[in-house]
Amino acid sequence: MGTGADVRDILELTGGENDGPISKKDLINSDKKKRKKSSETLTFKRPEGMHREVYALLYSDKKDAPPLLPSDTTQGYRTVKAKLGCKKVRPWKWMPFSNPARRDGAIFHHWRRAAEEGKDYPFARFNKTVQVPVYSEQEYQLHLHDDGWTKAETDHLFDLCKRFDLRFIVVHDRFDHQQYRKRSVEDLKERYYSICGKLTKVRAASGTEPKIYIFDAGHERRRKEQLEKLFNRTPEQVAEEEYLIQELRKIESRKKEREKNTQDLQKLIKAADTTTELRRAEKRVSKKKLPQKRETEKPAVPETAGIKFPDFKSAGVTLRSQRMKLPSSVGQKKIKAIEQMLVDLGVDLNPDLVLLYELKQAHSNCEYEQQMLRHRYEALLKAGNGGGAAIAVEQIIDVVGAPLTPNSRKRRESASSSSSVKKMKKP
């Protein structure tokens, strides 16, 4: 016969020191004890080589084992279930309806709420129609008469416009070309909009200026002709057009670059002129003030046998111009003599090295462009026929480069005169 220990072993209950009878408390708390035991015994260790973030995705905070099948226990991001209340359900009814857009009186059936019985069809508000003007016989004879159109033909046009809501392509297709003259879409549009403009002008109140839509039929015809020519181009014509567009862009870029270079050169020349004028003005002022200074000048320091420039013994890079500074031991008389000698030789006392460098660079660029144009000119002369090619090349250079200057005009006139003399000398 089984004892209490056997029963505890079957039910997986923890036994105490004394194996007494099983109480009600042990059976109720058996699930809690099992869970506690399983949580204490299960231990997980992160495998080697697995990142901590990946390992955290496999297990939850409770260290539960990963599920074998995907499950969703969260309540977020899910469609809300229908909450059925205690109210009455609104009744629906199978009822007939008719569409106001149809003129044949067709009757259809659909499900609708019983409370909406007798109301209009809800989609009838989308039935928009174009308001085509209507004219009388008297208005036509007084204001709308046209020699190229008869009244029957105009009435037929307005009837089609009303039927097809001003879809002029459909109107042109349904127009009776056998009974009336053959008309294009532009002719139909021009006739319709001209009549609409005249009617609005006639029916407008006195003293007001109504807005009249004007249809330009000639512009529309030219647009369609150009579009047809563009569509009927051959691949060779398309390639030639693309090549010409690229060449035009190159010419424009060269022109802009040369204009920019000429502007920079003009700025440099103006800067050089202003600096020279300022220095001349300073020299004049210094010459005027020089006699007054000499009267109040203190006795000069006795001159030494030779000028000793300061020696820079400090390590590092030094400027050459820094070594040209005269030492303080040189007197004013000798400094003035040196300055006068430099002026006689045409050497600037304080040269602007940056300005001189920019002028030199601009000069070298101009020389390079001049040489390049000369080579191109000679090549075109060899390929051309004498003076005529020379004049054409001069025109090309003037178009690509800056505008004509007096020197270029003189060169052109001399080139044309020389070409005419050559032609006269030829037998």
Side-chain angles (χ1 to χ4, degrees), residues 26-38:
D26 294 335
L27 292 174
I28 292 171
N29 297 328
S30 62
D31 294 337
K32 295 181 180 179
K33 292 176 181 178
K34 286 179 186 178
R35 288 176 186 170
K36 188 175 180 182
K37 185 178 181 181
S38 62

Side-chain angles (χ1 to χ4, degrees), residues 229-248:
K229 289 179 181 178
L230 190 68
F231 181 75
N232 293 329
R233 287 181 304 169
T234 59
E236 291 81 9
Q237 291 175 347
V238 175
E240 184 181 1
E241 186 177 353
E242 290 177 355
Y243 173 75
L244 291 174
I245 290 171
Q246 291 177 0
E247 290 297 320
L248 180 62

Side-chain angles (χ1 to χ4, degrees), residues 2 15 108 140 219 251 253 272 300-301 314 336 345 359 408:
F108 305 96
Y140 183 85
H219 175 74
I251 290 170
S253 63
V301 182
S314 60
K336 294 295 178 184
L345 292 174
L359 287 170
S408 63

Side-chain angles (χ1 to χ4, degrees), residues 169-183:
I169 303 298
V170 184
V171 171
H172 178 263
D173 181 67
R174 300 298 178 89
F175 195 79
D176 194 355
H177 297 288
Q178 297 178 358
Q179 185 178 356
Y180 306 108
R181 290 174 56 184
K182 192 171 184 180
R183 306 281 185 178

